[in-house]
């Protein structure tokens, strides 16, 4: 005799995608139970005192250009549950050793002006077709690539033609090395070689997000995003249980559908799916350091002092080499760094006069080395005297990241390589990538389309698939 169903849907994993899926299922009238192994919800969007008391650090994602512009988040009353976006004066700065910088500003014109007369027109022409059209561009970008007709076919096709080639090709539209470095740095968020197709699209989307929605942080830390989602879920009648590790599917209460915000390999193990994801590949890892500082980072470039995010890599060649080494398994030499300084706009993250700072480099998958010296040497190139301000540091190599969040297999914070067909066909070739061969079992993590980032769109699309399945029962 089968067990009586006690919930319409059970969600395992309370990262942004699991939380979003749970919320959308509850909003549709389903009874939802959410289980999380950690003591708090959040996954890649958590905030903790990693260094010293009173210093609040984001354990993974810190800046949220796709979060503030997410079609899924924008449809939810998250502000009513405490989420407040804070925008730095400059979304992102890309400094150079001579004390100058280019900026990714809140407008196309601001960015174009920082690139100089030789490349300003090229940048304007590149972004102009999408200006003022974020809602349709985002809806089409954050959808499974085969999911029907796009909402704006003309711009979707134009964006595809421009963004499908690698960032290395896109950058050659520009004449000045500084502009090429900007494009390379934006593409570097994909954790892939700059010669990989679709890295150009990643660079364009990050640039457009800055101009249309900004690159904000959440007041108090990224935990505020997760707490707002969890608060809304509870308001809708959903049940959240933390500190519960799920090892087998039959450990969960009977439900009509099960949704997993986990890595594909973890889901295969829990749900006894065999080798269904045997071809899924994990990519390069992150090596992250969180700093408690005695004062602001002493950037030589004034624009970097006003920016929430700072990219460190003076040329596209150097950035490309750093990314290529990580992808091909070679240790970092001169790393490309993505850094964030939330206290520029949110002083509540640290005691008065102090600051928090966040930086990560790309390293090989499951790398066991120590990149601390290489990272701090790179920071000192652009901010001499930085080390003198360090009160404490929390170093997280690939193993540490994976221990903190099991979805980060081998330290891969993207939950899957951005390479080859897997760029589009995550986690496997299937008509419904969120469904599995086991009826009623679904995957909603960033291993599914549209991929990594704190935007909840994988959870959104998975919830739609679950609702279709449940309605057909």
């Amino acid at each position: 005799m089968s067990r009586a169903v006690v919930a319409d849907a059970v969600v395992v994993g309370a990262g942004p995608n699991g939380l979003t899926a749970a919320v959308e299922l509850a909003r549709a009238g389903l009874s939802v139970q959410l289980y999380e192994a950690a003591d708090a919800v959040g996954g890649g969007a958590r905030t903790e005192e990693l260094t010293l008391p009173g210093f609040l650090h984001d354990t993974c994602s810190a800046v949220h250009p796709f979060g503030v512009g997410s079609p899924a988040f924008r449809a939810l009353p998250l502000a009513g549950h405490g989420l407040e976006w804070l925008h730095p004066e400059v979304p992102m700065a890309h400094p150079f050793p001579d004390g100058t910088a280019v900026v990714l500003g809140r407008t196309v014109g601001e960015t174009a002006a920082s690139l100089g007369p030789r490349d300003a027109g090229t940048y304007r022409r590149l972004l102009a077709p999408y200006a003022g059209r974020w809602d349709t561009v985002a809806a089409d970008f954050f959808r499974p690539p085969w999911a029907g007709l796009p909402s704006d076919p003309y711009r979707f096709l134009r964006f595809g033609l421009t963004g499908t080639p690698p960032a290395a090709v896109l950058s050659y539209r520009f004449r000045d090395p500084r502009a090429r470095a900007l494009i390379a740095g934006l593409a570097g968020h994909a954790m892939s070689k700059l010669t990989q197709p679709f890295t150009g699209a990643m660079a364009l989307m990050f640039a457009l997000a800055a101009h249309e929605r900004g690159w904000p942080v959440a007041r108090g830390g990224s935990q505020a995003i997760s707490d707002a989602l969890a608060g809304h879920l509870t308001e809708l009648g959903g049940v959240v249980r933390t500190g519960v590790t799920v090892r087998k599917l039959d450990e969960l209460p009977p439900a009509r559908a099960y949704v997993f915000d986990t890595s594909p390999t973890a889901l295969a193990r829990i749900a006894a799916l065999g080798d269904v994801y045997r071809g899924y590949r994990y990519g390069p890892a992150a090596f992250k350091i969180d700093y408690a500082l005695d004062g602001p980072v002493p950037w030589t470039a004034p624009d970097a002092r006003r920016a929430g995010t700072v990219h460190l890599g003076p040329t596209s060649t150097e950035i490309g080499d750093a990314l290529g080494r990580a992808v091909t398994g070679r240790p970092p030499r001169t790393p490309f760094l993505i850094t964030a300084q939330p206290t520029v706009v949110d002083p509540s993250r640290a005691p008065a006069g102090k600051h928090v700072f966040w930086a990560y480099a790309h390293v090989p998958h499951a790398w066991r080395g120590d990149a601390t010296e290489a990272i701090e040497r790179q920071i000192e190139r652009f901010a001499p005297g930085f080390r003198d301000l360090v009160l404490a540091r929390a170093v997280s190599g690939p193993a540490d990241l994976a221990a903190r969040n099991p979805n980060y297999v081998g330290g891969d914070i993207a939950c899957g390589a951005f390479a080859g067909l897997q760029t589009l066909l995550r986690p496997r070739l299937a008509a419904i990538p969120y469904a599995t061969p086991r009826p009623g079992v679904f995957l909603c993590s960033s291993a599914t389309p549209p991929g990594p980032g704190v935007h909840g769109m994988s959870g959104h699309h998975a919830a739609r698939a679950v609702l279709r399945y449940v309605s057909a029962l």
Side-chain angles (χ1 to χ4, degrees):
M1 181 180 297
S2 62
R3 298 180 295 168
V5 171
V6 299
D8 291 318
V10 168
V11 179
V12 177
N17 285 309
L19 286 163
T20 302
V23 165
E24 296 205 10
L25 293 172
R27 282 168 64 89
L30 274 62
S31 59
V32 178
Q33 294 185 13
L34 174 63
Y35 293 82
E36 167 57 44
D39 293 332
V41 300
R46 293 182 63 188
T47 305
E48 300 176 7
E49 290 183 336
L50 297 176
T51 56
L52 298 172
F55 289 83
L56 299 177
H57 304 275
D58 292 321
T59 60
C60 189
S61 182
V63 182
H64 304 285
F66 293 161
V68 70
S70 164
F73 288 175
R74 286 169 64 82
L76 302 176
L78 301 184
H81 292 277
L83 177 60
E84 180 183 357
W85 297 113
L86 300 178
H87 292 269
E89 186 178 350
V90 174
M92 191 276 287
H94 195 126
F96 302 96
D98 65 358
T100 64
V102 296
V103 301
L104 184 67
R106 285 304 306 269
T107 67
V108 172
E110 182 182 359
T111 303
S114 79
L115 296 178
R118 296 209 304 168
D119 288 315
T122 299
Y123 189 84
R124 288 192 181 93
R125 289 189 294 272
L126 192 62
L127 275 298
Y130 316 107
R133 299 181 179 273
W134 172 262
D135 288 342
T136 56
V137 172
D140 291 337
F141 183 83
F142 290 119
R143 63 196 277 279
W146 53 89
L149 292 175
S151 56
D152 188 340
Y154 165 72
R155 282 175 180 78
F156 182 75
L157 178 60
R158 181 165 183 163
F159 189 93
L161 292 173
T162 304
T164 297
V169 173
L170 180 65
S171 68
Y172 276 99
R173 293 184 178 220
F174 298 94
R175 301 172 63 186
D176 194 290
R178 294 156 53 94
R180 294 177 180 177
L182 173 70
I183 297 299
L186 293 172
H189 286 257
M191 299 182 73
S192 177
K193 290 183 177 181
L194 297 180
T195 54
Q196 170 68 33
F198 300 105
T199 49
M202 187 65 70
L204 283 177
M205 200 63 185
F206 273 111
L208 184 64
H211 306 322
E212 296 294 308
R213 293 294 184 267
W215 281 28
V217 300
R219 182 184 292 277
S222 297
Q223 187 73 51
I225 303 170
S226 304
D227 288 347
L229 287 164
H232 187 37
L233 174 61
T234 302
E235 179 183 58
L236 294 168
V239 176
V240 179
R241 304 185 190 280
T242 58
V244 180
T245 299
V246 177
R247 295 179 176 85
K248 294 183 179 180
L249 193 63
D250 59 12
E251 296 175 354
L252 294 168
R256 299 163 75 189
Y258 298 90
V259 189
F260 287 80
D261 185 1
T262 66
S263 69
T265 46
L267 174 57
R269 182 176 62 254
I270 294 168
L273 298 178
D275 61 356
V276 66
Y277 296 117
R278 66 185 180 278
Y280 193 75
R281 294 179 292 158
Y282 295 96
F287 192 102
K288 176 173 174 284
I289 306 180
D290 291 281
Y291 293 94
L293 301 179
D294 197 31
V297 179
W299 304 110
T300 55
D303 285 327
R305 301 171 199 161
R306 305 182 295 131
T309 302
V310 181
H311 288 173
L312 300 182
T315 67
S316 60
T317 299
E318 185 175 297
I319 294 170
D321 177 72
L323 295 169
R325 293 179 70 86
V327 171
T328 56
R330 293 173 292 161
R333 184 169 53 192
T334 305
F336 164 61
L337 301 184
I338 297 174
T339 78
Q341 41 190 16
T343 36
V344 167
V345 68
D346 184 8
S348 72
R349 307 278 192 99
K354 312 302 182 184
H355 286 261
V356 295
F357 184 62
W358 169 107
Y360 81 84
H362 305 79
V363 298
H365 182 83
W367 188 61
R368 295 179 179 272
D370 187 353
T372 303
E373 174 59 29
I375 287 173
E376 295 189 354
R377 186 170 60 246
Q378 181 76 320
I379 296 171
E380 286 274 348
R381 289 176 70 187
F382 304 92
F386 169 79
R387 284 190 178 101
D388 297 334
L389 296 173
V390 176
L391 299 173
R393 58 175 64 79
V395 178
S396 301
D400 303 302
L401 293 171
R404 187 176 294 136
N405 188 334
N407 284 15
Y408 301 157
V409 177
D412 175 8
I413 61 175
C415 198
F418 188 91
L421 291 176
Q422 188 170 289
T423 303
L424 297 176
L425 304 178
R426 299 165 70 100
R428 65 192 182 101
L429 179 60
I432 304 175
Y434 315 96
T436 72
R438 186 162 180 170
V441 176
F442 296 82
L443 182 65
C444 74
S445 70
S446 57
T448 63
V454 178
H455 45 63
M457 292 303 295
S458 294
H460 166 81
H461 292 305
R464 303 276 76 76
V466 171
L467 290 173
R468 289 192 295 269
Y469 170 80
V470 169
S471 67
L473 291 178

